[in-house]
Amino acid sequence: MQGGILFNPLGTPARKGGAVPLGHHFGEAKSIWGKAASPTEPCASSKWPNGAFGGYFRACGFTCTSHLRHAWGDGVADKGVFSSSYLASGGPPATAGLLSALAGCDSGFGQATARHLDAMGFRVFASVLDPQGAGAQELRRSCSPRLTLLQMDLTKPEDIQRVLQHVQAHTNSTGLWGLVNNAGFNDTIADAELSPLGKFRTCMEVNFFGSLELTKGLLPLLRSASGRIVTVSSPAGDLPFPCLAAYGASKAALSLLMDTFRSELQPWGIKVSLILPGYYKTATSLGPKQRLVASLPQELLQAYGEDYVEEINRQFIQFMKVAVEDLSAVVNSITDGLLAANPAVRYYPGQGLGLMYFIHRYLPYFVRDLFLKGFFINPKLPRALRREHHMDTKKA
């Protein structure tokens, strides 16, 4: 799940007099308290040169690149943006491009952002895991002829290199404005002790190393344009969600990496933003619990019990039923990270994140742990710790 977009070749944020950053209008999109901005609301500000960005607020996206030119100066739409999900390439406004990689465009945030950026008038290169899958077909159906689909699996270096070569061939002359890393993989919900080591490795391969390789490969183009990097991470990388150790560890590594890039790339004029969404209903693929149970050593299965694993899965399925279906707050945050004159370092789209982070930072650890278990998953005691098990052991 990744994405990107292409813009200003000179990196000049505004014409004489300056433009109000999108953050001025999208302040709530950046708020940790979970209130997403609504780009469909009309902009009443008179500070935009020539009333620029009016089309953006009316249509949830720039209806034409002239809006960009009015607000940011000539050439603003002549750069590219890339993410493990999207890439924007160089060229005139009509050929500005965006690339999406792996799960980024097959579904979820990546697909929604690809459609949004395409509607804004940019040429989009969307990378998908399965070019013949339902997600790819939906993009072909709903997007303009400007959109190009590319196949990429972030666990295969040859796929990444092929995509990098394609991107470089289309942006060498203009540089690359934006990279949106949106990779995300997790198919196991279980305690760290019950999660196979292979699951930890796969999460790191997709969520961390894939994004790292893409980012490093595109940095020369990003540096030449003084562009943007926007990365979708997760609150699970900041907070110890029960049964998400493999996923959370990979996202924690990703968040720290991007914070480091933010500091190191500042002299080059590159701005780096993190998106930490609340829980949204995307195409989460959860492996069968029978497969996990079958993989457990007999000693672990006896200690925890098969019903323990079943209860975790039941609670996760219940949690998924209340996940938010409207992805617009996340798409708006990604767009703001790419377009705002002064983008936020971190965006927190989604309800309840303010309370969650407040508890995490200011209250005792046991309060945080109780909150996360109540909010997400609170499994029963492992079999070996239950009273009935001790009674059975004594009788034996």
Side-chain angles (χ1 to χ4, degrees):
M1 303 168 64
Q2 292 131 349
I5 181 171
L6 162 84
F7 290 166
N8 192 351
L10 301 178
T12 53
R15 288 183 172 181
K16 185 177 180 181
V20 179
L22 284 183
H24 174 78
H25 299 278
F26 288 169
E28 289 187 277
K30 303 178 182 183
S31 170
I32 192 174
W33 296 100
K35 295 182 179 179
S38 176
T40 57
E41 295 177 4
C43 174
S45 173
S46 61
K47 297 182 180 179
W48 292 109
N50 303 323
F53 291 92
Y56 183 86
F57 287 91
R58 287 193 300 272
C60 243
F62 296 104
T63 55
C64 67
T65 52
S66 63
H67 292 139
L68 286 174
R69 292 189 182 280
H70 284 307
W72 291 79
D74 291 336
V76 72
D78 297 332
K79 283 294 172 205
V81 176
F82 174 87
S83 105
S84 46
S85 293
Y86 319 99
L87 165 75
S89 63
T95 60
L98 169 81
L99 171 70
S100 137
L102 193 62
C105 284
D106 288 277
S107 62
F109 304 140
Q111 186 183 99
T113 307
R115 289 199 303 265
H116 183 62
L117 293 172
D118 176 74
M120 290 166 61
F122 294 96
R123 182 184 174 197
V124 176
F125 299 90
S127 76
V128 293
L129 186 60
D130 181 6
Q132 303 306 319
Q137 296 296 339
E138 170 62 21
L139 286 175
R140 290 190 183 99
R141 184 194 65 79
S142 61
C143 293
S144 73
R146 291 186 302 270
L147 182 134
T148 301
L149 287 174
L150 299 174
Q151 191 278 330
M152 182 170 68
D153 184 339
L154 282 180
T155 66
K156 297 179 178 179
E158 61 272 19
D159 279 17
I160 297 176
Q161 289 304 312
R162 185 182 68 249
V163 167
L164 286 175
Q165 290 170 9
H166 183 93
V167 173
Q168 290 161 357
H170 287 79
T171 58
N172 265 334
S173 61
T174 60
L176 190 65
W177 173 259
L179 163 65
V180 179
N181 292 303
N182 185 42
F185 170 82
N186 183 50
D187 70 349
T188 301
I189 305 295
D191 294 45
E193 188 177 15
L194 300 179
S195 302
L197 277 177
K199 298 299 181 183
F200 282 84
R201 293 192 175 100
T202 303
C203 282
M204 288 297 296
E205 196 66 38
V206 175
N207 303 343
F208 176 76
F209 286 110
S211 296
L212 172 60
E213 187 170 355
L214 280 169
T215 303
K216 285 175 64 67
L218 292 171
L219 273 178
L221 294 169
L222 289 163
R223 284 192 284 103
S224 69
S226 296
R228 303 288 175 83
I229 299 173
V230 178
T231 298
V232 179
S233 188
S234 170
D238 290 334
L239 287 71
F241 279 81
C243 304
L244 284 183
Y247 178 75
S250 66
K251 288 296 189 177
L254 179 65
S255 294
L256 182 60
L257 172 69
M258 292 302 158
D259 277 342
T260 304
F261 273 138
R262 179 184 54 79
S263 175
E264 294 175 347
L265 296 175
Q266 189 175 5
W268 296 94
I270 295 177
K271 295 181 179 180
V272 180
S273 297
L274 272 175
I275 314 291
L276 296 107
Y279 194 72
Y280 288 85
K281 191 166 289 186
T282 57
T284 302
S285 178
L286 187 61
K289 62 179 180 295
Q290 292 85 356
R291 187 186 305 164
L292 175 62
V293 170
S295 70
L296 294 176
Q298 193 60 30
E299 179 186 355
L300 269 183
L301 187 58
Q302 286 294 325
Y304 281 87
E306 185 172 346
D307 59 336
Y308 181 89
V309 178
E310 291 176 351
E311 175 65 12
I312 288 173
N313 277 259
R314 185 194 67 78
Q315 290 191 31
F316 179 70
I317 291 171
Q318 287 297 118
F319 182 75
M320 288 180 63
K321 291 180 180 179
V322 298
V324 178
E325 295 186 14
D326 182 3
L327 308 182
S328 61
V330 179
V331 175
N332 292 342
S333 295
I334 293 172
T335 304
D336 194 69
L338 292 170
L339 300 180
N342 294 294
V345 172
R346 288 192 168 205
Y347 294 83
Y348 298 88
Q351 298 297 323
L353 292 178
L355 175 62
M356 191 179 298
Y357 274 90
F358 175 83
I359 292 173
H360 174 64
R361 290 171 177 166
Y362 297 108
L363 298 185
Y365 285 125
F366 79 90
V367 177
R368 178 200 65 188
D369 294 344
L370 286 174
F371 175 80
L372 290 177
K373 287 180 180 179
F375 170 75
F376 185 52
I377 289 177
N378 187 16
K380 61 170 65 178
L381 278 175
R383 180 175 178 271
L385 299 178
R386 296 174 207 158
R387 179 179 299 179
E388 58 268 25
H389 174 71
H390 288 293
M391 294 179 67
D392 292 341
T393 303
K394 289 180 181 179
K395 290 179 181 178

